Amino acid sequence: MYRYDEFDAAFVNERVAQFSDQVRRRIAGELTEDQFRPLRLMNGLYLQLHAYMLRVAVPYGTLSSKQMRMLGHIARKYDRGYGHFTTRQNIQYNWPKLRDIPAILAHLASVEMHAIQTSGNCIRNVTTDQFAGAAADEIIDPRPVAEIIRQWSSIHPEFTFLPRKFKIAITGAPNDRAAVKFHDIGLMAQTNGAGDVGWAVYVGGGLGRTPMVGKLINGFVPHEHLLAYLESILRVYNRYGRRDNKYKARIKILVHEEGLENIKGQVEDEFSHIRGGVLTLPDAELDRINSYFAQPAYVDHGVVSVDVEREKILDPAYGRFLENNTFPHARSGYTSITVSLKPIGGAPGDATAEQMEAVADIAEKYSFDELRVTHEQNLVLPHVAIADLRAVYDALGEAGLADANAGEITDMITCPGLDFCALANARSIPIAQDISRRFAAPERAKEIGKLKIKISGCINACGHHHVGHIGILGVEKKGTELYQITVGGDGTEDAAVGKILGPGFVADEVPGAIERLVDAYIARRTTEDETFIAAYRRLGDAPFKEALYGNG
Amino acid sequence: MAAISSVLSAPAPKHDKLKALGILALNGMFDEMDAEAVLRQAVDELLPGDIAMVSSFGADSAVLLHLVSLVDKNLPVYFLETGKHFVETLDYVETLKQRLGLTNVIALYPDSADLARFDPDGTLWETDPDSCCHIRKTEPLEDVLSGYGGWVTGRKRFQTAERGVLPHFELTSDDRIKVNPLAYFTNEDVEAYKARHDLPEHPLYGEGYKSIGCAPCTSAVAEGEDPRAGRWRGRDKRECGIHFDFNGSIAKPVSQSSLHLFKDGAFKADPWKAWAEGDEPADVRYTHVPVSVFVEHRAAFLASPHPIGLQVNPGEKVEDIEGDLARFSSVAINFRAFTDGRGYSSARLLRERFGYEGELRAVGDVLTDQIPFMRRCGIDAFVVTNKATREALEKDALAEVPLYYQPIGERHEVPAGTRPFLRRPE
């Protein structure tokens, strides 16, 4: 993991001191809320429906045990005993008091964390594959480059007042688990003809009210020129992105309106000026950062195998856990474990202070002190020895974290919705809870297989509903919360935006509607191995439309 | 030095009622070019027997002295005999006295004790021109000026950058009135007046001296150059001090009660103004011309000899004027709204790509939180109206994180090695 040096520490401390003073001035009445607003937004502090919300950055979703414990401590001491992990791999606290913010930030700084650029129209936290540095299918560990992008983008003087927020995602694996094509810039590791690894750059992806799949702007940018290329894109966006309409200000609209070729021309022209300049990344610097992300000291356990089928008979819950919540590791004898934050009937992404502390202890003992936050609002223990699996499962179980539903229908992404968010039109969490209860039976979930449901409480799409195999969008019509259902979205390398098949449903009808979609799929799939999304692609809208609305 | 006590013991202001009447109203009474009426109003109506003038008997002093001769040949006209004048200037004093019939020209000499103490070998002008001016001009004048309610000056708007907003009548901070009959005269107006009245030329004028002060600190100017460019050439000095009021700041009209331009660590008078509807490309001076206007009237602006600046509005492309950048002595980046960050890119392009080295100022919605970013992008002057920002600048207490992760250009940056990104092995 990256470790702060003196510079990083001083940088964060300066920022804490600066913001603490701004908070003090706000409390003392020296600043009005209007004046305070842009300042607090630069530090991740939102004013929500009921209280301030503090969003803490988890750069590229990587945490140490110590950091996770601190997040737990903050939840207990300054919030209501829990925190909410987000689709940006961050954590949000929903009930902090303004006067406590400086203390919270100081606590965070003590474990090399902060809230810088978790909001505002700037370059946000860089996100990546939750299995980065562990996954068997990886071409390159994306975290060192993510860290370099973090440094480059931190309080960038030219790009702090962009037309709109700007999100970068990066993946080192061909199987995209970071939804890079739905980010303002998506980076995918690529090998060129000479065998060198560089980056395919996608631009103009996004969700929100105008979902767009990112377009390939450059098929291969070498490491050393990546920052210059990013700066070129950002400069073109900063200068020409629309500022007349908040809803048309993301780079996806610029790319859409001007055309990819036009934008590519401008970016390449800018790149031709700055390429090879001061942003050129020397190998030595990449090596220096790389060294922070060295492989942990894996132990050779010999051939260790777990007979999943046998475990399923002996202990069905554990068997399901092995089936759903493990992920192939690059190192034999190891696996990555997804810790589900989607208990049946719970609020997706929430973890209590005790759970954070428990998972921190488990990571310390069994995962080389490392944890990840996933964009699907779960946690990951990236490096668990297969020999330790049972012990880890039992320890998770004690903390109420052994739900074996990773990747199943109840592993939903859900935004905070109208229960918390000032922007929302409808509740999201209760809908997720209803669906979760409807499909609570493990056998039923297993029968359905891999199916991603994603729920947003408004058009801003924080719950990524556009890329849900089944997406649910809460809207408000004539004082009633209605839920539009989309089908066929996909956030992976086979990126697709889901399609609305008809009118919305009231809240009570949603679980039933989902069930009808699921039944239609099961009835028509070729084999048990054909997933929902694969069946949808083969079958088209018709059967699903009929399932939702009948054939009248 | 005597001057200090004169400030401390200055009599109670005599002109409160005038202040109440409003200098502004006075300034609206006269046609811009009606210098004689302005002077007559001051000498006959406003301050009869209580006004004087100071003349340098320089290159264009003849115009004002001619006006004085029309209004009151006995008006006290003080001449600062600094001991450093060109011989030609001293001759010219006599020539004009004779020709115009002036009966009350009074020479003022520096205090000999001050000279002995501060400038024993007569070279202070070289090491410390401000102090030289102070001893030779400011101090001798102060005792005299405190005896008058007002004085007449020959200052003109076009002369130096700092004089861009000069009105006919000004109230100084100690309630005296400065009268500037020639405020709106251009160089051409001065020439035309001299020709019309057949006024004698300063002997050095024909040799390229367009603004003449003391011999050591005056040089000739080139064709098309700012006429005062020859004064204190090569030094960051534009005014001699005698046009500053007794509290040390520039005397200014009451309507311009505060200074908004922050540059080189202090708020200072701003000679520049924004391009306005109806301005003529050939005539404007010390005006920030929007990129679009410049492009439209490029030929006229390039032909004009006057100093002009450029204003880059959000959405305007600095690439459009890339080849003409040398024409501008100031560039203003307009940050129309706090949240509009286009100006940062414009600033970096001007500095880093096009090599612009002149003043680069931020105008518009400029707040404390942006200034550190602006500085890093190459902006070195700020027009600030926000009170909190003003205080932060004055106290040098900006909301700032003084550590930088990413390299930005080459200017105004901390050494490369302090940033992780550039922490390369030696």
Side-chain angles (χ1 to χ4, degrees), chain A residues 259-512:
Chain A
L260 176 66
E261 285 313 308
N262 190 355
I263 294 299
K264 183 179 164 75
Q266 293 178 42
V267 169
E268 294 288 340
D269 179 55
E270 189 62 42
F271 185 49
S272 72
H273 285 290
I274 64 176
R275 180 192 167 104
V278 71
L279 283 172
T280 306
L281 188 67
D283 283 346
E285 176 65 7
L286 187 59
D287 291 346
R288 187 178 79 84
I289 302 291
N290 262 324
S291 67
Y292 287 110
F293 297 95
Q295 295 285 311
Y298 295 123
V299 178
D300 194 349
H301 292 280
V303 181
V304 184
S305 62
V306 177
D307 186 343
V308 177
E309 292 309 315
R310 180 169 174 274
E311 296 294 342
K312 277 157 78 173
I313 295 162
L314 291 174
D315 182 347
Y318 180 50
R320 276 186 70 223
F321 181 86
L322 293 176
E323 206 162 46
N324 290 330
N325 293 39
T326 59
F327 189 84
H329 200 282
R331 171 80 180 205
S332 74
Y334 283 84
T335 188
S336 300
I337 288 180
T338 300
V339 179
S340 169
L341 297 180
K342 315 291 174 59
I344 299 303
D350 279 4
T352 64
E354 292 70 28
Q355 288 175 326
M356 291 185 223
E357 283 159 356
V359 82
D361 290 344
I362 295 167
E364 186 173 22
K365 193 164 176 191
Y366 297 109
S367 183
F368 297 95
D369 213 29
E370 246 191 77
L371 280 159
R372 306 289 172 77
V373 181
T374 85
H375 90 271
E376 295 183 314
Q377 302 179 285
N378 292 316
L379 301 176
V380 161
L381 295 161
H383 315 292
V384 174
I386 287 172
D388 294 330
L389 264 172
R390 181 74 213 196
V392 169
Y393 173 75
D394 290 341
L396 287 172
E398 278 175 43
L401 288 170
D403 288 282
N405 59 349
E408 290 189 335
I409 187 168
T410 54
D411 184 5
M412 289 170 276
I413 292 183
T414 310
C415 76
L418 198 51
D419 294 295
F420 296 98
C421 179
L423 300 174
N425 301 117
R427 292 163 301 142
S428 310
I429 292 171
I431 298 296
Q433 288 167 328
D434 286 349
I435 295 170
S436 174
R437 289 188 202 100
R438 172 74 67 127
F439 295 99
E443 305 71 33
R444 176 67 165 152
K446 180 169 167 45
E447 180 194 17
I448 298 165
K450 300 291 176 198
L451 173 54
K452 292 183 191 295
I453 296 183
K454 301 180 198 272
I455 307 172
S456 304
C458 78
I459 192 67
N460 293 307
C462 297
H464 294 188
H465 66 275
H466 296 298
V467 293
H469 299 156
I470 297 173
I472 300 171
L473 166 65
V475 294
E476 190 252 299
K477 281 223 172 104
K478 295 178 185 142
T480 311
E481 293 168 42
L482 272 188
Y483 295 87
Q484 286 180 346
I485 293 180
T486 58
V487 179
D490 188 346
T492 70
E493 64 281 5
D494 301 316
V497 173
K499 217 168 140 182
I500 297 176
L501 300 182
F505 297 86
V506 297
D508 288 352
E509 298 169 350
V510 173

Side-chain angles (χ1 to χ4, degrees), chain B residues 22-33:
Chain B
I23 288 288
L24 281 178
L26 212 46
N27 277 319
M29 280 174 60
F30 301 93
D31 184 87
E32 287 187 356
M33 297 308 294

Side-chain angles (χ1 to χ4, degrees), chain A residues 5 7-8 10-11 14-15 18 22 38-39 150-162 227 231 235 238-240 243 270 273-274 278-282 284-285 288, chain B residues 316-319 338-342 344-346 348-349 352-353 369-370 373 376-377 386 399-410 418-425:
Chain A
D5 61 17
F7 182 95
D8 298 294
F11 179 88
E14 285 278 355
R15 185 67 159 187
Q18 177 195 19
Q22 289 161 347
L39 304 176
R150 179 192 75 80
Q151 295 188 8
W152 161 77
S153 63
S154 288
I155 318 190
H156 194 298
E158 186 179 350
F159 306 133
T160 296
F161 299 95
L162 295 169
L227 292 183
E231 188 143 307
R235 180 168 288 165
N238 189 42
R239 299 183 76 193
Y240 304 118
R243 290 174 187 263
E270 189 62 42
H273 285 290
I274 64 176
V278 71
L279 283 172
T280 306
L281 188 67
E285 176 65 7
R288 187 178 79 84
Chain B
E316 289 185 324
K317 293 177 71 173
V318 287
E319 288 89 336
F338 177 81
T339 50
D340 191 331
R342 283 177 278 190
Y344 299 98
S345 291
S346 297
R348 286 194 65 191
L349 289 171
E352 296 168 32
R353 187 155 308 157
D369 315 274
Q370 299 150 295
F373 301 136
R376 291 193 63 201
C377 290
N386 176 273
E400 180 174 21
V401 176
L403 297 165
Y404 312 138
Y405 268 114
Q406 61 293 99
I408 297 293
E410 309 293 337
T418 62
R419 293 168 298 194
F421 178 71
L422 290 183
R423 218 178 285 160
R424 301 168 186 175

Side-chain angles (χ1 to χ4, degrees), chain B residues 31-42:
Chain B
D31 184 87
E32 287 187 356
M33 297 308 294
D34 196 354
E36 188 182 336
V38 170
L39 186 61
R40 203 172 286 286
Q41 172 77 17

